[in-house]
Amino acid sequence: MWHSKRRLLRGLFWVLALCVGAFWQPVVTAQDTAVSSTLTILPGDTWTALAYRYGQDVQAVNPQLNRQRQPTIGREILLPPDSAERQGVLLRTGDGGLLETAVRQNTSPWAIARQNDLPSPYRPLLYQPLFLPGGDAPPKDLPAGFETLELSQTIGEPGVALGWRSEVAETAVISATLDDAPFVVVGDGRFRVGLIGTGAFYGSGEPSLNLQVGDAPLWSQPWRFEDRADWVYQELSYTGAAAEITQDDIDAERARLRKVWSQVTPKPLWTAPFTLPINDYLSITSTFGDRRSVNGGPYNRYHEGVDFSAYGGTPVLAPAAGQVVVAEELKVRGGAVILDHGLGLHSGYYHLSQVLVEPGQKVSPGDVLGAVGTTGLSTGNHLHWDFLVGTTWVDAQAWLAQDMACWIRAGLGLDCAPVSDNPS
Ligand SMILES: [Zn+2]
């Protein structure tokens, strides 16, 4: 009795809901069209691309933005009211003119000329944008020869590994910078990836993502960076043997290792997501980027890795496949192992009581590299794990969390095996 009453009520509810829905929907739609919507800028959403995409002057409804500069990747802009999106492709080619482009695109040069208000299909194009309507994606204004361009993060975060990946014309020779800092550019054929790290002091801003294909004009778009608000501040004091290590020792060791870190093996040596380099640890006592004051000095340095406190002798494991490039006792880092993972990526394992690999040795995920200790500039048993893109330290924990390893492999057209660390 009670159940059937409840069913009746539920039925009534749905009838009412459907009625309300039927009347409500047109009202919502009318409201939506009256209010301007917003768009988050992605790579290739230049003023030119937006003008073709919406058939309107998108700059006019965003007077607060600098018209001389491209809209910033990661920023929200307003769209004109009633703006309808058009699909199509924007091409920029330096040679061949319309005839060749039309043949490549399987269309008529006169149709393209008409769509782009070009007086003649015979003039060279010299990288001017060419709109070809159709397809199922909005037009993007990408560097010459780029078919796609994706970023690992729409809003850049300081201190982490960042990348772009794209499919390009096979012959493209690409260089890339973030402001003046070069990306490590890897891949050949259709798939290309650029990798970079910023320091943990990089802060917020709008650096330029610059891409150059051969001798085509430089392609450039600002990229929004937002600093983290939750950096940790630590005061350290070194006593005993650790206090004997001087800034000169630190600089000399760093200069030597910089030569190791600047080597780029052109292929990725890993084939699966990275894992933690230690299974049995007590706690993470310091994370990447922790601001540090030493012996009461200013907070003018930061922690370059992740510290795992663990019992002495705990095995330290390879987090992914790679090749051992350093395996020795260093003054500052103590017992040290550095792995080359390919593509300019290196990881380091320091303060080890024992080093159990040899330089040149190839390692597989989970192979034992050494044992936790407190050698070098260290105040207790722990593993210091660092990770570098080129010669810049990046957050190894973020590298794991973002699964950059597989993002990069996918960008190179390679698959990435899933982790099966729990076979039971
Ligand atoms: Zn450390």
Side-chain angles (χ1 to χ4, degrees):
M1 183 64 191
W2 186 83
H3 277 287
S4 64
K5 199 171 171 189
R6 194 171 155 177
R7 202 174 304 143
L8 185 71
L9 274 174
R10 199 182 294 161
L12 254 173
F13 169 79
W14 281 112
V15 169
L16 270 172
L18 286 171
C19 288
V20 170
F23 289 104
W24 187 249
Q25 215 160 354
V27 177
V28 170
T29 312
Q31 254 181 0
D32 272 356
T33 51
V35 174
S36 297
S37 49
T38 61
L39 175 81
T40 301
I41 296 295
L42 295 175
D45 291 338
T46 63
W47 295 123
T48 304
L50 294 174
Y52 281 111
R53 183 162 162 187
Y54 295 104
Q56 301 191 51
D57 184 0
V58 179
Q59 279 181 306
V61 293
N62 292 279
Q64 77 283 10
L65 300 180
N66 183 349
R67 296 177 76 93
Q68 308 305 317
R69 227 177 159 216
Q70 296 296 356
T72 301
I73 298 163
R75 288 235 171 256
E76 276 204 350
I77 63 160
L78 289 173
L79 294 177
D82 303 316
S83 48
E85 194 181 63
R86 287 201 292 175
Q87 314 291 301
V89 175
L90 264 189
L91 284 180
R92 285 182 189 265
T93 53
D95 60 335
L98 262 194
L99 291 175
E100 216 169 88
T101 305
V103 168
R104 236 180 281 132
Q105 297 294 321
N106 215 357
T107 181
S108 130
W110 292 276
I112 301 181
R114 208 164 42 243
Q115 283 149 358
N116 288 275
D117 296 322
L118 297 178
S120 153
Y122 300 104
R123 281 190 206 146
L125 293 165
L126 299 173
Y127 300 106
Q128 80 177 89
L130 212 54
F131 181 58
L132 310 176
D136 53 6
K140 297 272 183 192
D141 194 1
L142 299 177
F146 274 54
E147 283 161 30
T148 59
L149 177 58
E150 275 182 275
L151 297 176
S152 58
Q153 303 184 319
T154 304
I155 298 175
E157 184 189 340
V160 306
L162 299 161
W164 55 263
R165 61 185 187 186
S166 51
E167 285 185 52
V168 301
E170 302 222 357
T171 51
V173 175
I174 299 160
S175 59
T177 58
L178 184 67
D179 276 346
D180 296 329
F183 282 81
V184 177
V185 181
V186 294
D188 43 31
R190 286 179 55 72
F191 299 100
R192 308 300 174 94
V193 169
L195 298 171
I196 201 168
T198 67
F201 284 144
Y202 197 71
S204 302
E206 298 195 346
S208 285
L209 172 63
N210 307 308
L211 291 158
Q212 188 146 29
V213 184
D215 49 11
L218 184 72
W219 180 97
S220 188
Q221 193 169 7
W223 184 3
R224 178 181 174 191
F225 273 66
E226 281 293 310
D227 202 0
R228 271 173 51 180
D230 59 347
W231 295 113
V232 174
Y233 287 78
Q234 289 182 327
E235 281 184 55
L236 303 186
S237 54
Y238 290 124
T239 51
E244 311 273 290
I245 291 173
T246 64
Q247 189 60 44
D248 283 351
D249 295 330
I250 292 172
D251 293 344
E253 191 172 298
R254 187 172 293 177
R256 202 210 117 186
L257 295 182
R258 221 170 253 281
K259 288 181 193 143
V260 172
W261 294 322
S262 57
Q263 301 296 315
V264 179
T265 301
K267 299 272 180 226
L269 302 180
W270 74 93
T271 56
F274 282 50
T275 55
L276 283 180
I278 185 166
N279 287 331
D280 301 313
Y281 63 92
L282 302 170
S283 62
I284 290 177
T285 49
S286 185
T287 52
F288 174 86
D290 290 358
R291 274 67 175 131
R292 284 184 159 181
S293 150
V294 174
N295 296 334
Y299 285 96
N300 61 357
R301 60 185 80 187
Y302 61 83
H303 190 228
E304 294 151 354
V306 186
D307 285 345
F308 300 87
S309 86
Y311 292 114
T314 304
V316 172
L317 314 170
Q323 184 162 22
V324 178
V325 285
V326 168
E328 63 185 79
E329 184 85 18
L330 298 171
K331 193 160 189 185
V332 183
R333 288 166 177 78
V337 172
I338 297 179
L339 298 180
D340 175 2
H341 298 288
L343 309 187
L345 304 169
H346 291 88
S347 61
Y349 309 83
Y350 307 130
H351 312 300
L352 305 176
S353 58
Q354 275 181 290
V355 170
L356 298 170
V357 287
E358 302 276 335
Q361 188 179 330
K362 292 206 165 69
V363 294
S364 300
D367 283 358
V368 176
L369 306 174
V372 169
T374 181
T375 54
L377 182 54
S378 169
T379 52
N381 280 311
H382 77 288
L383 167 68
H384 175 110
W385 179 36
D386 73 0
F387 200 82
L388 296 100
V389 175
T391 56
T392 306
W393 282 279
V394 296
D395 186 345
Q397 286 180 292
W399 170 267
L400 296 188
Q402 294 171 292
D403 198 7
M404 278 297 283
C406 286
W407 189 89
I408 292 167
R409 280 188 65 89
L412 294 170
L414 304 168
D415 49 1
C416 205
V419 206
S420 53
D421 57 348
N422 231 336
S424 56

